[in-house]
Structure formats: C-alpha cells, structure tokens
Amino acid sequence: MTTYVVIESITPNQSLVFSAQQGPQGIAGATGPTGPTGAAGPTGPTGVTGATGPAGATGATGPTGADSTVPGPTGPTGPVGATGPTGATGADSTVPGPTGATGPVGATGPVGATGTTGDVGATGATGPAGATGATGPTGPTGLTGPTGPTGATGVGNIAGFNTQTGTSYTLVIGDLSDIVTLNNAAAITLTVPPSVFSANDQVHVVQYGAGQVSFAQGAGVTILSTGATTTAPKLRTNKSAATVICTASNTFLIVGDIV
C-alpha cells in the first residue's frame, strides 16, 4: 500500500500540519519467501512467581511394597508409660532366689532391765602362773637401824711366829694366834696343856724339818681329830700344818694335814 502526504498550509510561527489520506487497497502481491530466522534475543527477566494454586485431591493409596531385608535405624526411645495396675500374686517359686546384700546394721536398741543374779558357779581350776613381770624400780633407802651389839672376836691376823728347834715343846698362852714352827731332824712331841686356853682360842703349828711332829694331851686335856690315833694325831710330812682349836675348857680340835 502507498501512502501520500499532502501539505495543506503553512502559517508563520506554526508547525507543519500533516494530513494523510489512504488510497484504495491494491491487489495483494504474491508472498515472498520466508526470510531466515533471526538470532534469538536475550532471555528476559524471570517474571514474578504466581500464587500457589489450590491442593489437588488425595490420590488413592498404592499397593503395600514388599518387606525390606535391611533393618531400618532404631528410632528414639519413647517416654516411659504410666505404671499399670499390679497383677495378681503368682504362685510361690520352687527355686530360691539369690540372697540379697546385707542391709546396714540398725541402731542399738535400749538396754533392757538387769536380770536377777544367778547362782555362783563352781570355782574353776587355777590357771597356769603368768610370766614373771619386770623388776620394779628400787625403792628409796630406808632409815639406818640401831647399831647391833658387838659380836664375838673372830680369827684375826697371825700374831707372830714362835720358832722351836727342840724335840719337845708345850704350848703357852703367848702362842695364841701365833704360828709355832717345829724344826728338828728327830721326832718332836708337842703337848697341849690344860687350863691355859679358852673356847675359840687357836694356835697354828707347822713342821719345818725331817722330825715328824706328834700331838700329846696334857693332864685332863681331850684332843679330837681325824688322825689314825684320834687323841694323838701327827703332822704328815715336812711343811705340813695344822690348827689347834679350843672348843671348850680343856677340849681341843686339831684340823689340818694330819695322819
């Protein structure tokens, strides 16, 4: 179709005013070939999401699937349910149950009243003596007692020596507590006299030579000894000694190396 433009008038200070008139429709020409497809334009921006449509009706339940051979995970333990009512008591068991742990000792009960005293039992046998205890500490020294009476005079030191060289000798009071030595090649006689010595007096006699000493009783004197002759003992040998002891008035005991 061809469009013609006619300019009708132009006035000062006015814009052009166009007027178009359409002519008659011409005969349509033949359709030209389709041009090539143009390049695709860029994708436009995503439009705003429309409102969700109403939910459709629930479909029919499908058939149950086969049981799984793989156990599924264990679900969490549910809350403990309320305790149900106690059931009826069952019959007594014939198998003893295990012994429970010993309970704590209970508090001591109050002491009961004292019973009457029973009869005294028979005395038991005496037990063995115990071990001796340790010695206790020494006690303090007691007070000094009074001085006792003076005792009899005992045998003191030898008073001295009386040397005799004859073949006979008679003891005298001056020989008291002395050692009388008798020295001679021949036999010697020593006489113990009466009424010279008192009880507890002593005289020591020693043989110094080859002459054997024999003891003889004075008139009224009694000699006691272990010698072969009780009343006339002898010194055994050179350097033998004996003691003449007055045991009572005119009675003498001779002890020592005698025969």
Side-chain angles (χ1 to χ4, degrees), residues 54-60:
T58 302

Side-chain angles (χ1 to χ4, degrees), residues 8-224:
E8 292 181 347
S9 64
I10 299 175
T11 60
N13 297 324
Q14 291 182 341
S15 299
L16 293 178
V17 178
F18 294 92
S19 165
Q21 294 180 353
Q22 185 172 354
Q25 181 71 38
I27 298 170
T31 301
T34 302
T37 302
T43 302
T46 303
V48 178
T49 302
T52 302
T58 302
T61 302
T64 301
D67 292 340
S68 172
T69 58
V70 179
T74 303
T77 303
V80 178
T83 302
T86 303
T89 302
D92 292 340
S93 173
T94 58
V95 179
T99 303
T102 303
V105 178
T108 303
V111 178
T114 304
T116 57
T117 303
D119 297 333
V120 177
T123 303
T126 302
T132 302
T135 303
T138 303
T141 303
L143 299 175
T144 303
T147 303
T150 303
T153 302
V155 177
N157 293 331
I158 296 171
F161 286 85
N162 179 2
T163 302
Q164 297 293 321
T165 59
T167 57
S168 65
Y169 179 70
T170 299
L171 295 175
V172 296
I173 192 61
D175 293 326
L176 179 65
S177 298
D178 279 356
I179 292 180
V180 177
T181 62
L182 304 169
N183 187 359
N184 196 287
I188 303 170
T189 299
L190 177 68
T191 301
V192 179
S195 304
V196 174
F197 299 101
S198 301
N200 300 324
D201 288 346
Q202 301 180 42
V203 178
H204 308 290
V205 179
V206 180
Q207 177 182 316
Y208 261 26
Q212 187 175 30
V213 177
S214 298
F215 294 90
Q217 299 177 132
V221 171
T222 301
I223 291 177
L224 303 173

